[in-house]
Amino acid sequence: MYKVLIVDDETTVREGLRVVIPWEAYGFQVVALAQDGQTALNMCKDEEYDLIISDIRMVGMDGLQLIENIREFDKRIQCLILTGYADFNYAKKAIQHNVAGYLLKPIDEENLIDALVEIKQELDKENTVQELTLIENERKKEMFILSNVLNSTYDKMTTERKNLAKEFEMEWDKYQVLLIRMEEKKPEIFQILTIKEQIKNLVIHDKEASLFLHEAYLGIIINCNIYKMSVIEKLYKKISDILKKSDINYTVALGNCVDSLCEIKDSYKTALTLIEKKFFFPEDQLLIKGRELIRTEKEKSSTQMKDIIDRVYMALEVGELHMVEPTLSGIFDLVDVPYSEENVKKNYVYALTIVMNKLQKEKPEKESFISNTSEKILEIYQLKNYLELERFVNLLMEEVYREFKYDQADDQLKKLLVLINNNYHENLKLEKLAGLFNYNSAYLGKLFKSYTGEYFNTYLDKVRIKNAKKLLLEGLKVYRVAEIVGYNNVDYFHSKFKKYVGLSPSTYRRKEKNNV
């Protein structure tokens, strides 16, 4: 509806005009009345109207003076003059002030309606032109923004670019990109444009922010001298509300603050990278560099995947559940920085799958449970962020812990002996086990010697030789027995066997068979 202001010094005329015409039927709405020109002028400075219907002769400021004053700040408004004087000179002055019509009092209802129809057509035409002009200006502005955001060849501000920045009211000291990606099920273009309009309404009256659309990305260039972090967080919350109501999955990231439009591409790339690394950020939060869930820099580490697998396996063997998560976090020492979601997931799946395979060999009675657990491990590939990964792995390991029904005795040395007897064939080192049991390796060695009467390596050798004897009597080749009990070098196995048994492996087998 177009807004109408009626100006007349006669109350009956003002009120009569307001009620005699079915304004809304013709696209108009009388929103205000004024009793003189000065009052009307003040009202026009405070409020925008589309049509003024004014008496030409009034006390003080008359109708023509009113229109003349309004034209100084509003060329758009339509004006309709009413008068009881059929004076040609007045008519000529009205024409000079670009009035839409000149009607004599008393007002003929049909003549006024005819004038309203013509005025509405003119207003519609002007609005169409205005909207098209606005759309074209917005298109040019968006193309200008995209040229800065996407084109890596701009390294300085030319005079032309400075002029465009001034034209589009983007002459700021600092620039920053707030980037929104609409994800998964691809939204239809009309849905994207609708969302763009809704978000634009959040900043439409703000000369310190401008929107651009590129593929599935909607960006906002902001003046980061004005948009402090608290303001950005509030804007993010409003954007989130819009996207959630539209049932669209989304990610929003904030690029770094830069000093010129030439550098805005760097802020855009930073935001783009953060979105690609969203797996390492908390869910449903604005992605900002430095807020990652894990460190992004690391010291050089000698950790190997086999070490991680061994430690996790041993922790599960002895029921030290609390050691599993920190041990698995060592996977990040194996992944190149910047971290890749794909590589992190792949390494977790690989490590846990090997651990399950090792457990299955040692606990064949748990084959069904371990097989199901191995299948669950593949669900890691579907997880959305690192916190979900941590929770998932912890719950999975708790299931394993409950299934194996560990002896709840607190005697760490008893657990250590169980571990050795079950895993003598592994590459067991006192240093690794000390970390598993939260002991200093030298201190654990002393405790072990005091508890068993043997040094750790001696005890391990004796367990291995004991099991080697059984395998030799089963008819396995000597080199194969050496491999099975944990000796990679058959000559070393020979020397160890002879040290503890007093005979070579082959001699021991012959002697035992002859004694049967």
Side-chain angles (χ1 to χ4, degrees):
M1 290 289 173
Y2 292 115
K3 295 190 291 185
V4 179
L5 168 63
I6 297 176
V7 188
D8 199 294
D9 54 6
E10 295 182 32
T11 304
T12 53
V13 174
R14 294 196 305 270
E15 291 295 338
L17 284 174
R18 186 173 66 84
V19 298
V20 75
I21 301 293
W23 297 93
E24 293 188 2
Y26 299 99
F28 294 89
Q29 181 181 14
V30 177
V31 295
L33 305 174
Q35 72 274 18
D36 58 60
Q38 186 60 56
T39 301
L41 180 61
N42 294 338
M43 293 170 71
C44 288
K45 289 179 179 178
D46 294 334
E47 180 74 36
E48 284 191 359
Y49 300 97
D50 300 295
L51 170 62
I52 290 180
I53 300 178
S54 176
D55 188 13
I56 202 167
R57 286 186 181 271
M58 292 182 290
V59 176
M61 182 183 296
D62 65 26
L64 294 183
Q65 289 172 327
L66 169 62
I67 294 168
E68 185 177 358
N69 279 289
I70 289 174
R71 287 286 181 243
E72 291 180 4
F73 60 87
D74 190 343
K75 307 291 185 186
R76 175 199 59 86
I77 194 168
Q78 295 287 314
C79 301
L80 189 59
I81 292 295
L82 307 177
T83 183
Y85 299 87
D87 190 317
F88 183 67
N89 289 329
Y90 274 99
K92 284 196 297 183
K93 285 186 179 181
I95 292 169
Q96 288 173 2
H97 292 305
N98 191 26
V99 299
Y102 182 78
L103 299 177
L104 293 175
K105 290 182 178 180
I107 304 301
D108 182 84
E109 186 177 329
E110 290 186 6
N111 289 341
L112 179 53
I113 289 174
D114 290 341
L116 290 177
V117 170
E118 290 183 11
I119 291 169
K120 183 177 183 301
Q121 290 175 350
E122 187 62 28
L123 285 170
D124 288 344
K125 188 191 302 181
E126 288 178 4
N127 281 346
T128 300
V129 172
Q130 195 173 32
E131 286 175 9
L132 291 174
T133 303
L134 184 60
I135 291 170
E136 178 61 15
N137 287 340
E138 285 185 356
R139 187 192 69 82
K140 287 180 179 178
K141 183 176 182 179
E142 193 162 339
M143 293 302 295
F144 172 68
I145 291 172
L146 285 171
S147 71
N148 285 279
V149 166
L150 302 178
N151 197 326
S152 60
T153 60
Y154 295 130
D155 55 2
K156 63 180 181 179
M157 287 294 286
T158 62
T159 301
E160 179 185 2
R161 298 182 72 73
K162 287 179 181 177
N163 289 337
L164 285 171
K166 183 176 182 180
E167 178 184 342
F168 298 131
E169 298 180 311
M170 293 184 68
E171 289 183 298
W172 309 331
D173 293 329
K174 300 282 185 180
Y175 300 82
Q176 197 166 17
V177 174
L178 188 68
L179 192 63
I180 305 156
R181 182 171 74 182
M182 288 164 267
E183 303 182 78
E184 293 182 12
K185 58 176 185 179
K186 189 176 180 182
E188 299 292 338
I189 186 62
F190 79 88
Q191 191 177 20
I192 293 176
L193 293 175
T194 300
I195 290 168
K196 180 185 176 184
E197 285 301 309
Q198 290 176 319
I199 293 176
K200 184 173 74 174
N201 288 334
L202 299 177
V203 296
I204 196 167
H205 298 300
D206 192 346
K207 295 180 181 180
E208 313 299 335
S210 299
L211 271 70
F212 67 90
L213 183 64
H214 178 60
E215 297 176 346
Y217 293 90
L218 177 60
I220 307 175
I221 308 291
I222 57 178
N223 180 348
C224 48
N225 273 344
I226 303 299
Y227 274 76
K228 302 300 183 184
M229 190 52 64
S230 59
V231 180
I232 292 172
E233 293 280 8
K234 289 177 182 176
L235 177 59
Y236 166 72
K237 177 66 172 61
K238 292 176 181 178
I239 290 171
S240 296
D241 291 341
I242 289 171
L243 291 165
K244 285 175 182 176
K245 287 176 183 176
S246 302
D247 194 27
I248 286 182
N249 293 312
Y250 63 93
T251 306
V252 186
L254 183 67
N256 54 309
C257 197
V258 296
D259 295 327
S260 72
L261 273 172
C262 292
E263 298 172 350
I264 196 64
K265 58 184 179 290
D266 299 327
S267 183
Y268 173 75
K269 287 177 182 177
T270 300
L272 205 58
T273 300
L274 290 174
I275 289 175
E276 290 168 355
K277 301 294 180 183
K278 68 170 187 171
F279 178 78
F280 301 106
F281 286 85
E283 191 175 4
D284 293 332
Q285 286 193 23
L286 175 62
L287 310 189
I288 300 174
K289 191 172 182 180
R291 292 188 181 179
E292 297 90 339
L293 293 166
I294 58 170
R295 62 192 188 280
T296 54
E297 296 180 0
K298 63 180 181 183
E299 297 179 358
K300 189 174 181 180
S301 172
S302 59
T303 302
Q304 300 294 320
M305 179 61 81
K306 186 177 184 304
D307 296 329
I308 292 172
I309 291 170
D310 287 345
R311 289 201 294 271
V312 171
Y313 168 69
M314 291 174 192
L316 290 173
E317 267 283 273
V318 299
E320 294 292 332
L321 185 62
H322 67 281
M323 292 300 298
V324 173
E325 193 278 327
T327 301
L328 283 172
S329 68
I331 283 175
F332 286 97
D333 294 327
L334 308 177
V335 183
D336 291 334
V337 174
Y339 296 124
S340 156
E341 174 185 346
E342 180 184 356
N343 284 341
V344 168
K345 287 180 175 179
K346 183 175 68 176
N347 277 274
Y348 264 86
V349 169
Y350 174 78
L352 291 172
T353 300
I354 298 300
V355 168
M356 290 299 110
N357 289 342
K358 289 166 74 71
L359 286 171
Q360 187 161 329
K361 288 179 183 177
E362 294 301 321
K363 303 179 186 295
E365 73 279 7
K366 298 293 184 181
E367 180 179 357
S368 177
F369 169 80
I370 293 174
S371 178
N372 289 335
T373 302
S374 297
E375 289 182 14
K376 284 183 182 179
I377 289 170
L378 297 177
E379 294 176 22
I380 284 174
Y381 288 116
Q382 309 303 319
L383 302 178
K384 293 181 179 179
N385 62 64
Y386 181 66
L387 280 180
E388 280 191 7
L389 174 61
E390 278 190 330
R391 287 193 292 267
F392 178 84
V393 171
N394 288 339
L395 288 172
L396 204 64
M397 293 302 97
E398 284 176 11
E399 287 181 15
V400 174
Y401 181 82
R402 288 194 298 270
E403 179 69 20
F404 289 172
K405 296 178 181 176
Y406 297 96
D407 182 359
Q408 297 301 312
D410 291 330
D411 192 336
Q412 300 288 69
L413 288 169
K414 285 182 181 178
K415 289 184 178 181
L416 180 54
L417 293 181
V418 170
L419 186 147
I420 293 171
N421 282 284
N422 288 341
N423 302 281
Y424 58 85
H425 53 281
E426 300 286 346
N427 182 26
L428 300 180
K429 299 291 184 184
L430 187 62
E431 293 77 10
K432 288 184 180 179
L433 296 173
L436 183 65
F437 288 96
N438 291 320
Y439 281 118
N440 172 276
S441 60
Y443 180 65
L444 181 60
K446 290 180 181 179
L447 287 178
F448 190 89
K449 176 70 166 58
S450 174
Y451 187 77
T452 63
E454 303 278 9
Y455 290 108
F456 173 81
N457 288 333
T458 301
Y459 186 90
L460 177 59
D461 282 336
K462 287 183 176 180
V463 172
R464 285 174 170 174
I465 298 303
K466 175 184 174 182
N467 285 277
K469 287 179 180 180
K470 295 177 184 177
L471 295 171
L472 286 168
L473 295 178
E474 290 174 6
L476 274 69
K477 299 286 187 183
V478 173
Y479 78 89
R480 182 71 183 120
V481 173
E483 290 176 355
I484 291 173
V485 298
Y487 294 111
N488 294 325
N489 186 303
V490 69
D491 291 334
Y492 186 65
F493 170 62
H494 266 274
S495 65
K496 286 288 183 181
F497 195 92
K498 196 166 185 179
K499 175 181 177 181
Y500 292 109
V501 181
L503 300 170
S504 70
S506 299
T507 303
Y508 168 79
R509 177 160 48 197
R510 284 196 302 271
K511 181 180 177 182
E512 289 297 315
K513 284 188 175 182
N514 290 334
N515 290 335
V516 174

